[in-house]
Amino acid sequence: MQLTGKVALITGAGSGIAKAAAKLFAKEGAKIAALGRTEDEVEKTVSEIQNNNGEAISLVADISHAEEMQKATQQVIDTWGHLDIVFANAGINGVWAPIEELAPQEWDKTVNVNLKGTFLTVKYAVPYLKKQGGSVIITSSINGTRTFSNTGATAYSCTKAAQVAFTKMVALELAQYRIRVNVICPGAVETNIDQNTQRRDLENVQEPVEFPEGKIPLTDGKPGTSQQVAQLVLFLASDASSHITGTEVWIDGGESLLKA
């Protein structure tokens, strides 16, 4: 097993990509600290891992709140004594609206969860990762990095672009401690994040574009799966990627090449 003896903190672990990664990491021998805002969801993830003979604990916290993330990270150390892998996946799409209609508080919420939340997740993990080295994986998106055609997703795309810059800055800073930091940029993936997206008054500002049949070339339009993304996260968490840091990896079936 690739992650035997490793301890992994995974945010947003109640669903989607992070849940798939948590279950895959556990199968590969890691101990899982599954963190999310909804207790029922993370408890279900933990139960599924434990029912398959894995080891996991649930943590309930808002990644945009410093005290909650500091406390959650301490719980991981109190339980297992060390931390080796951080998968900073939690985030929101937020409100997608024309720039003049996007309220300042809507902008702030998206930035606080997606960008500040990434910062806090990594910040409080670093002192423990420094002790033996480790791997940090951050979930960005094709939006804001390769694709800019989702009109109205300004706040979201800005946070996703900033996560890539954050990754590169922190990767260089932490390399001396043998901590690798990489970022994944998924395209369309079958998760429930769209259920938390509010689109408002976009009809008049979107450019009318007609795509060829199948917006995802590799699969004739079929979106990817959380399990496929989890396999990439496993690679970046494992020693198989031991010489990779400060790198973004797009996983989108060629979608962003077609609709940049």
Side-chain angles (χ1 to χ4, degrees), residues 11-237:
T11 68
S15 63
I17 293 169
K19 181 174 183 176
K23 293 169 71 173
L24 181 60
F25 280 22
K27 185 178 178 181
E28 291 293 331
K31 300 175 177 68
I32 306 300
L35 185 147
R37 290 186 62 184
T38 306
E39 184 173 7
D40 290 347
E41 287 188 345
V42 289
E43 286 285 0
K44 186 175 180 181
T45 298
V46 168
S47 294
E48 290 177 20
I49 290 171
Q50 292 174 338
N51 290 340
N52 284 284
N53 300 314
E55 191 170 347
I57 60 171
S58 63
L59 303 171
V60 179
D62 184 330
I63 63 168
S64 67
H65 292 175
E67 290 183 1
E68 293 184 25
M69 287 308 297
Q70 187 174 24
K71 180 180 178 181
T73 307
Q74 187 61 52
Q75 284 181 257
V76 180
I77 302 305
D78 291 344
T79 302
W80 289 308
H82 62 105
L83 179 60
D84 308 281
I85 300 163
V86 175
F87 181 26
N89 174 82
I92 60 172
N93 276 355
V95 176
W96 293 12
I99 191 68
E100 70 271 24
E101 295 184 23
L102 186 65
Q105 62 268 27
E106 293 169 339
W107 171 278
D108 288 347
K109 181 177 181 180
T110 302
V111 172
N112 283 339
V113 173
N114 292 355
L115 187 54
K116 182 182 177 183
T118 297
F119 159 68
L120 293 175
T121 300
V122 176
K123 170 184 171 62
Y124 291 117
V126 162
Y128 306 107
L129 294 171
K130 279 184 175 181
K131 293 181 178 181
Q132 73 286 313
S135 178
V136 176
I137 306 100
I138 294 167
T139 299
S140 177
S141 172
I142 63 171
N143 292 294
T145 60
R146 268 186 176 174
T147 298
F148 300 89
S149 53
N150 276 329
T151 304
T154 309
Y156 176 79
S157 294
C158 285
T159 63
K160 297 292 118 175
Q163 284 177 315
V164 173
F166 176 88
T167 295
K168 293 176 183 292
M169 292 295 296
V170 176
L172 188 58
E173 178 182 336
L174 300 179
Q176 63 180 308
Y177 303 104
R178 301 299 182 263
I179 301 171
R180 298 182 297 106
V181 188
N182 293 290
V183 57
I184 63 170
C185 302
V189 178
E190 293 176 337
T191 70
N192 63 1
I193 192 169
D194 276 345
Q195 297 174 11
N196 301 317
T197 307
Q198 182 182 342
R199 293 176 173 85
R200 190 171 67 232
D201 299 330
L202 296 174
E203 296 80 6
N204 294 327
V205 293
Q206 288 178 322
E207 290 290 335
V209 178
E210 185 175 341
F211 288 102
E213 183 177 352
K215 291 186 288 185
I216 305 173
L218 195 61
T219 57
D220 294 325
K222 183 178 180 181
T225 67
S226 296
Q227 289 72 27
Q228 287 173 312
V229 181
Q231 290 287 346
L232 172 60
V233 181
L234 173 62
F235 168 71
L236 293 172

